[in-house]
Amino acid sequence: MKDTAFQELLTSIRQAGRIRRGTLKPARVTTFRPADVKSIREKLKASQAEFALMIGVSIATLRNWEQGRRRPEGPALALLRVAARNPRAVAEALHRPPRKGAA
Protein backbone atom coordinates (compact mmCIF):
# COMPACT_ATOMS: atom_id res chain seq x y z
CA MET A 1 0.00 0.00 0.00
CA LYS A 2 1.33 3.40 -0.93
CA ASP A 3 2.09 5.79 1.89
CA THR A 4 -0.52 8.36 0.76
CA ALA A 5 -3.25 5.72 0.61
CA PHE A 6 -2.24 4.46 4.05
CA GLN A 7 -2.34 7.98 5.49
CA GLU A 8 -5.83 8.54 4.02
CA LEU A 9 -6.99 5.26 5.53
CA LEU A 10 -5.50 6.15 8.90
CA THR A 11 -7.20 9.57 8.80
CA SER A 12 -10.57 8.01 8.00
CA ILE A 13 -10.20 5.48 10.83
CA ARG A 14 -9.47 8.30 13.27
CA GLN A 15 -12.47 10.25 11.97
CA ALA A 16 -14.68 7.16 12.38
CA GLY A 17 -13.56 6.88 15.99
CA ARG A 18 -14.38 10.53 16.66
CA ILE A 19 -17.79 10.13 15.01
CA ARG A 20 -18.49 7.05 17.13
CA ARG A 21 -17.52 8.92 20.31
CA GLY A 22 -19.71 11.85 19.29
CA THR A 23 -16.94 14.43 19.01
CA LEU A 24 -17.34 14.77 15.22
CA LYS A 25 -20.49 14.85 13.11
CA PRO A 26 -20.56 12.51 10.10
CA ALA A 27 -20.40 14.14 6.68
CA ARG A 28 -23.49 12.19 5.63
CA VAL A 29 -25.94 9.74 7.15
CA THR A 30 -27.93 7.21 5.16
CA THR A 31 -31.10 5.84 6.67
CA PHE A 32 -33.10 2.98 5.22
CA ARG A 33 -36.80 3.18 5.86
CA PRO A 34 -38.74 -0.11 6.21
CA ALA A 35 -40.63 0.57 2.99
CA ASP A 36 -37.33 0.70 1.13
CA VAL A 37 -36.47 -2.90 2.05
CA LYS A 38 -39.90 -4.11 1.01
CA SER A 39 -39.80 -2.17 -2.26
CA ILE A 40 -36.38 -3.63 -3.10
CA ARG A 41 -37.72 -7.12 -2.48
CA GLU A 42 -40.78 -6.38 -4.59
CA LYS A 43 -38.63 -5.05 -7.47
CA LEU A 44 -36.98 -8.46 -7.53
CA LYS A 45 -40.42 -10.10 -7.46
CA ALA A 46 -39.29 -12.25 -4.54
CA SER A 47 -41.23 -13.53 -1.57
CA GLN A 48 -39.90 -12.78 1.90
CA ALA A 49 -38.52 -16.32 2.11
CA GLU A 50 -36.81 -16.08 -1.29
CA PHE A 51 -35.32 -12.66 -0.61
CA ALA A 52 -34.09 -13.62 2.86
CA LEU A 53 -32.37 -16.68 1.41
CA MET A 54 -30.96 -14.61 -1.46
CA ILE A 55 -29.29 -12.05 0.79
CA GLY A 56 -28.35 -14.48 3.56
CA VAL A 57 -30.55 -13.35 6.43
CA SER A 58 -33.32 -15.07 8.35
CA ILE A 59 -36.94 -14.45 7.41
CA ALA A 60 -37.44 -13.02 10.90
CA THR A 61 -34.66 -10.48 10.30
CA LEU A 62 -36.17 -9.47 6.96
CA ARG A 63 -39.61 -9.08 8.53
CA ASN A 64 -38.16 -6.95 11.31
CA TRP A 65 -36.57 -4.68 8.70
CA GLU A 66 -39.75 -4.41 6.67
CA GLN A 67 -41.87 -3.71 9.75
CA GLY A 68 -39.46 -1.12 11.13
CA ARG A 69 -38.52 -2.99 14.31
CA ARG A 70 -34.88 -3.19 13.22
CA ARG A 71 -32.64 -1.57 10.62
CA PRO A 72 -30.17 -3.27 8.32
CA GLU A 73 -26.52 -2.55 9.08
CA GLY A 74 -23.08 -3.29 7.70
CA PRO A 75 -22.83 -5.61 4.70
CA ALA A 76 -26.60 -6.13 4.55
CA LEU A 77 -27.13 -2.39 4.26
CA ALA A 78 -24.52 -2.16 1.52
CA LEU A 79 -26.15 -5.01 -0.40
CA LEU A 80 -29.57 -3.38 -0.07
CA ARG A 81 -28.18 -0.08 -1.38
CA VAL A 82 -26.85 -1.88 -4.45
CA ALA A 83 -30.13 -3.77 -4.87
CA ALA A 84 -32.06 -0.49 -4.69
CA ARG A 85 -30.04 0.94 -7.57
CA ASN A 86 -29.66 -2.19 -9.67
CA PRO A 87 -31.82 -5.16 -8.63
CA ARG A 88 -30.85 -7.13 -11.73
CA ALA A 89 -27.14 -6.92 -10.85
CA VAL A 90 -27.82 -8.23 -7.36
CA ALA A 91 -29.96 -11.08 -8.70
CA GLU A 92 -27.24 -12.02 -11.19
CA ALA A 93 -24.45 -11.73 -8.61
CA LEU A 94 -26.37 -13.98 -6.23
CA HIS A 95 -27.01 -16.50 -9.01
CA ARG A 96 -30.73 -16.02 -9.13
CA PRO A 97 -32.31 -14.88 -12.39
CA PRO A 98 -34.86 -12.13 -11.74
CA ARG A 99 -38.47 -12.96 -12.50
CA LYS A 100 -40.09 -11.40 -15.54
CA GLY A 101 -40.82 -7.74 -15.02
CA ALA A 102 -38.02 -7.15 -12.48
CA ALA A 103 -36.18 -3.88 -13.11
Side-chain angles (χ1 to χ4, degrees), residues 2-93:
K2 292 187 179 187
D3 189 51
T4 55
F6 180 76
Q7 291 304 319
E8 287 175 10
L9 180 60
L10 194 57
T11 299
S12 68
I13 290 170
R14 288 181 178 139
Q15 287 173 341
R18 290 178 25 220
I19 290 168
R20 186 166 177 92
R21 287 187 299 277
T23 60
L24 179 68
K25 286 191 173 192
R28 65 181 175 272
V29 176
T30 302
T31 322
F32 242 64
R33 296 181 315 275
D36 294 333
V37 177
K38 185 175 181 180
S39 70
I40 292 166
R41 177 177 61 79
E42 289 173 342
K43 280 182 186 176
L44 287 167
K45 308 248 187 253
S47 68
Q48 284 183 331
E50 290 171 328
F51 192 61
L53 182 64
M54 182 190 300
I55 64 171
V57 299
S58 70
I59 296 172
T61 296
L62 180 63
R63 285 184 183 142
N64 283 333
W65 291 345
E66 288 188 2
Q67 294 170 8
R69 288 190 294 261
R70 294 195 156 234
R71 287 157 71 181
E73 296 178 352
L77 181 58
L79 179 59
L80 288 168
R81 284 182 186 147
V82 173
R85 288 191 172 96
N86 193 341
R88 183 174 298 279
V90 171
E92 289 172 6

